Amino acid sequence: MSELTIGGSPTVRRRRLGAELRRLREQAGLSADDAARHLECSPSKISRVETGRTPARIRDVRDLLELYGLHDTPERETLLDLVRQSKEQGWWQSFGDAVPEWLETLIGLEGDADTILTYESVLVPGLLQTEEYARALALDFDRDGSPTDAERTVALKRERQKRSGRSGRPLVHALLDEAVLRRPVGGPDVLRGQLEHLLAEAARGRVIIQVIPFQAGGYPAQGFPFTLFEFPDTRDQPVVYLEALSGAVYLEKAHEVRRYKVAFEKLRACSLGPDEAGAMIMRIVEKVKQGEGIHGQRR
């Protein structure tokens, strides 16, 4: 079977299929509007298919391949096989409505990336959270929700962490504002456990943690968290994830991704190195252990 079928989650397979369909359309000198007219659908549907946000129907792909001049070739059959593979259910389907469509995409990207670059200004990144920290966040986020809902959220996050690290990847490079280390989500004991977990993850070698200290003052992209996913296969283009209150935005255009890669490098230049960051985290842990507030005040 062709190399196009190689891949992990249905999310990445949909993205690869979409990228191939876009390449073939452009190679044929056709616009998204041309493709939409051929399928008698909206141009937005073509866009969703080409960006992997909507699973493609095999009948639609057959029609598009005819339009693009791909007839009875091994590549055609490979692409049709990829349509079938992209419809396979991900492991997260067992969590039901706890996984909205926007989160399905995130989980798929986490599982297939080999490098995750993330900047956070308020909270510890999801893949690095302890159960206690994640539970406190879930309860704070939806105070009208039930404890059962919170536990399902925690279980989902735990499974995401387990699966993303199963193959020894990805490498997670996290740039954290100092405020992340000092916000007592869940209380001092939960914070202490979370900070100790960050130190342990860094010691294992697959996580790099740097901290932007308060003394850095203002800095580029301040207050606009983002995560950039990079993949081992060069055909899978990097993706930027931006989280919102009720969903997420995914950026894939080369100039958009490049802007965030540059922002990450500028943020890194403002950050303490991994050793200095580790020392800062240990100092905060010791203050909490000694019964001091995170700013040096007695509790």
Side-chain angles (χ1 to χ4, degrees), residues 235-252:
R235 292 167 299 174
D236 298 322
Q237 296 301 308
V239 181
V240 173
Y241 166 77
L242 305 175
E243 189 167 304
L245 185 62
S246 59
V249 174
Y250 295 91
L251 305 178
E252 302 180 62

Side-chain angles (χ1 to χ4, degrees), residues 9-12 92 103-113 231:
S9 72
T11 300
V12 167
W92 53 85
L103 186 53
E104 287 186 19
T105 301
L106 175 64
I107 294 171
L109 296 176
E110 288 174 346
D112 288 285
F231 304 93

Side-chain angles (χ1 to χ4, degrees), residues 287 291-299:
K287 284 186 176 182
E292 296 181 0
I294 51 179
H295 299 294
Q297 300 296 318
R298 284 281 172 184
R299 294 204 301 267

